[in-house]
Short mmCIF file of all heavy atoms in Angstrom, two decimals:
data_model
loop_
_atom_site.label_atom_id
_atom_site.label_comp_id
_atom_site.label_asym_id
_atom_site.label_seq_id
_atom_site.Cartn_x
_atom_site.Cartn_y
_atom_site.Cartn_z
N GLY A 148 6.29 6.28 -11.50
CA GLY A 148 5.48 6.43 -12.74
C GLY A 148 4.16 7.07 -12.60
O GLY A 148 3.37 7.22 -13.53
N PHE A 149 3.70 7.36 -11.37
CA PHE A 149 2.47 8.02 -11.05
C PHE A 149 2.48 9.49 -11.49
O PHE A 149 3.58 10.10 -11.43
CB PHE A 149 2.09 7.98 -9.57
CG PHE A 149 1.49 6.64 -9.18
CD1 PHE A 149 2.40 5.66 -8.66
CD2 PHE A 149 0.15 6.40 -9.13
CE1 PHE A 149 1.98 4.40 -8.28
CE2 PHE A 149 -0.32 5.16 -8.73
CZ PHE A 149 0.60 4.18 -8.34
N THR A 150 1.37 10.00 -12.08
CA THR A 150 1.25 11.38 -12.39
C THR A 150 0.09 12.06 -11.67
O THR A 150 -0.94 11.31 -11.50
CB THR A 150 1.14 11.58 -13.95
OG1 THR A 150 0.07 10.89 -14.40
CG2 THR A 150 2.39 11.07 -14.67
N PRO A 151 0.21 13.31 -11.31
CA PRO A 151 -0.99 14.01 -10.72
C PRO A 151 -2.21 14.07 -11.75
O PRO A 151 -1.97 14.22 -12.89
CB PRO A 151 -0.44 15.33 -10.44
CG PRO A 151 1.04 15.23 -10.37
CD PRO A 151 1.33 14.13 -11.39
N CYS A 152 -3.33 13.76 -11.14
CA CYS A 152 -4.57 13.87 -12.00
C CYS A 152 -5.79 14.60 -11.39
O CYS A 152 -6.78 14.64 -11.94
CB CYS A 152 -5.03 12.40 -12.48
SG CYS A 152 -5.46 11.41 -10.99
N GLY A 153 -5.48 15.19 -10.14
CA GLY A 153 -6.56 15.88 -9.61
C GLY A 153 -6.32 16.12 -8.08
O GLY A 153 -5.25 15.73 -7.59
N SER A 154 -7.25 16.67 -7.47
CA SER A 154 -7.18 16.97 -6.01
C SER A 154 -8.52 16.58 -5.36
O SER A 154 -9.50 16.46 -6.09
CB SER A 154 -6.82 18.43 -5.77
OG SER A 154 -7.81 19.30 -6.27
N LEU A 155 -8.52 16.43 -4.11
CA LEU A 155 -9.64 15.92 -3.37
C LEU A 155 -9.62 16.49 -2.00
O LEU A 155 -8.50 16.49 -1.38
CB LEU A 155 -9.68 14.33 -3.36
CG LEU A 155 -10.67 13.66 -2.60
CD1 LEU A 155 -12.06 13.76 -3.23
CD2 LEU A 155 -10.34 12.18 -2.41
N PHE A 156 -10.72 16.98 -1.56
CA PHE A 156 -10.84 17.44 -0.13
C PHE A 156 -11.84 16.59 0.53
O PHE A 156 -12.94 16.58 0.19
CB PHE A 156 -11.17 18.91 -0.08
CG PHE A 156 -11.24 19.52 1.24
CD1 PHE A 156 -9.95 19.91 1.90
CD2 PHE A 156 -12.37 19.62 2.08
CE1 PHE A 156 -9.91 20.42 3.10
CE2 PHE A 156 -12.31 20.01 3.45
CZ PHE A 156 -11.05 20.44 3.87
N CYS A 157 -11.36 15.78 1.55
CA CYS A 157 -12.32 15.04 2.31
C CYS A 157 -11.73 14.82 3.73
O CYS A 157 -10.45 14.90 3.96
CB CYS A 157 -12.65 13.77 1.66
SG CYS A 157 -11.32 12.65 1.33
N TRP A 158 -12.60 14.52 4.67
CA TRP A 158 -12.20 14.26 6.13
C TRP A 158 -11.47 15.48 6.68
O TRP A 158 -10.64 15.26 7.55
CB TRP A 158 -11.46 12.97 6.26
CG TRP A 158 -12.09 11.80 5.61
CD1 TRP A 158 -13.39 11.31 5.77
CD2 TRP A 158 -11.41 10.99 4.65
NE1 TRP A 158 -13.51 10.23 5.03
CE2 TRP A 158 -12.39 9.93 4.28
CE3 TRP A 158 -10.22 10.94 4.05
CZ2 TRP A 158 -12.15 8.90 3.39
CZ3 TRP A 158 -9.91 10.03 3.14
CH2 TRP A 158 -10.94 9.04 2.85
N GLY A 159 -11.59 16.60 6.14
CA GLY A 159 -10.87 17.86 6.58
C GLY A 159 -9.47 17.83 6.05
O GLY A 159 -8.61 18.65 6.56
N TYR A 160 -9.06 17.05 5.04
CA TYR A 160 -7.70 16.95 4.56
C TYR A 160 -7.78 17.30 3.02
O TYR A 160 -8.65 16.93 2.35
CB TYR A 160 -7.09 15.62 4.67
CG TYR A 160 -6.92 15.30 6.21
CD1 TYR A 160 -7.88 14.40 6.77
CD2 TYR A 160 -5.75 15.77 6.85
CE1 TYR A 160 -7.62 14.10 8.04
CE2 TYR A 160 -5.54 15.41 8.16
CZ TYR A 160 -6.44 14.53 8.78
OH TYR A 160 -6.35 14.18 10.09
N SER A 161 -6.75 17.85 2.54
CA SER A 161 -6.54 18.12 1.12
C SER A 161 -5.52 17.12 0.53
O SER A 161 -4.37 17.01 1.02
CB SER A 161 -6.01 19.52 0.88
OG SER A 161 -6.01 19.87 -0.48
N PHE A 162 -5.92 16.43 -0.49
CA PHE A 162 -5.18 15.33 -1.09
C PHE A 162 -4.90 15.62 -2.53
O PHE A 162 -5.66 16.13 -3.24
CB PHE A 162 -5.96 14.03 -1.12
CG PHE A 162 -6.27 13.38 0.24
CD1 PHE A 162 -7.39 13.79 0.91
CD2 PHE A 162 -5.33 12.57 0.94
CE1 PHE A 162 -7.70 13.23 2.25
CE2 PHE A 162 -5.55 12.12 2.16
CZ PHE A 162 -6.74 12.37 2.78
N LEU A 163 -3.65 15.12 -2.97
CA LEU A 163 -3.32 15.05 -4.37
C LEU A 163 -3.64 13.69 -4.83
O LEU A 163 -3.23 12.71 -4.24
CB LEU A 163 -1.81 15.32 -4.51
CG LEU A 163 -1.36 15.19 -6.01
CD1 LEU A 163 -1.94 16.33 -6.87
CD2 LEU A 163 0.22 15.36 -6.02
N VAL A 164 -4.40 13.61 -5.95
CA VAL A 164 -4.72 12.29 -6.49
C VAL A 164 -3.75 12.02 -7.66
O VAL A 164 -3.46 12.90 -8.43
CB VAL A 164 -6.19 12.21 -7.04
CG1 VAL A 164 -6.46 10.90 -7.67
CG2 VAL A 164 -7.15 12.60 -5.93
N MET A 165 -3.09 10.82 -7.62
CA MET A 165 -2.13 10.40 -8.61
C MET A 165 -2.56 9.09 -9.27
O MET A 165 -3.24 8.38 -8.65
CB MET A 165 -0.73 10.31 -8.06
CG MET A 165 -0.25 11.67 -7.45
SD MET A 165 1.34 11.62 -6.73
CE MET A 165 2.36 11.74 -8.08
N GLU A 166 -2.16 8.86 -10.57
CA GLU A 166 -2.56 7.68 -11.26
C GLU A 166 -1.41 7.15 -12.15
O GLU A 166 -0.49 7.81 -12.43
CB GLU A 166 -3.79 7.96 -12.09
CG GLU A 166 -3.50 8.93 -13.35
CD GLU A 166 -4.73 9.29 -14.10
OE1 GLU A 166 -5.78 8.82 -13.79
OE2 GLU A 166 -4.57 10.08 -14.97
N ILE A 167 -1.60 5.88 -12.40
CA ILE A 167 -0.66 5.24 -13.39
C ILE A 167 -1.52 4.27 -14.21
O ILE A 167 -2.53 3.68 -13.66
CB ILE A 167 0.53 4.50 -12.71
CG1 ILE A 167 1.51 4.03 -13.74
CG2 ILE A 167 0.02 3.36 -11.82
CD1 ILE A 167 2.81 3.55 -13.12
N PHE A 168 -1.17 4.03 -15.41
CA PHE A 168 -1.96 3.16 -16.22
C PHE A 168 -1.10 1.96 -16.60
O PHE A 168 0.12 2.08 -16.65
CB PHE A 168 -2.42 3.88 -17.52
CG PHE A 168 -3.47 4.87 -17.33
CD1 PHE A 168 -3.16 6.20 -16.96
CD2 PHE A 168 -4.83 4.54 -17.35
CE1 PHE A 168 -4.09 7.14 -16.79
CE2 PHE A 168 -5.87 5.49 -17.12
CZ PHE A 168 -5.44 6.82 -16.82
#
Side-chain angles (χ1 to χ4, degrees):
F149 283 86
T150 57
C152 64
S154 58
L155 176 68
F156 186 81
C157 60
W158 312 304
Y160 297 96
S161 183
F162 295 92
L163 174 66
V164 181
M165 301 178 80
E166 66 186 358
I167 189 171
F168 290 89

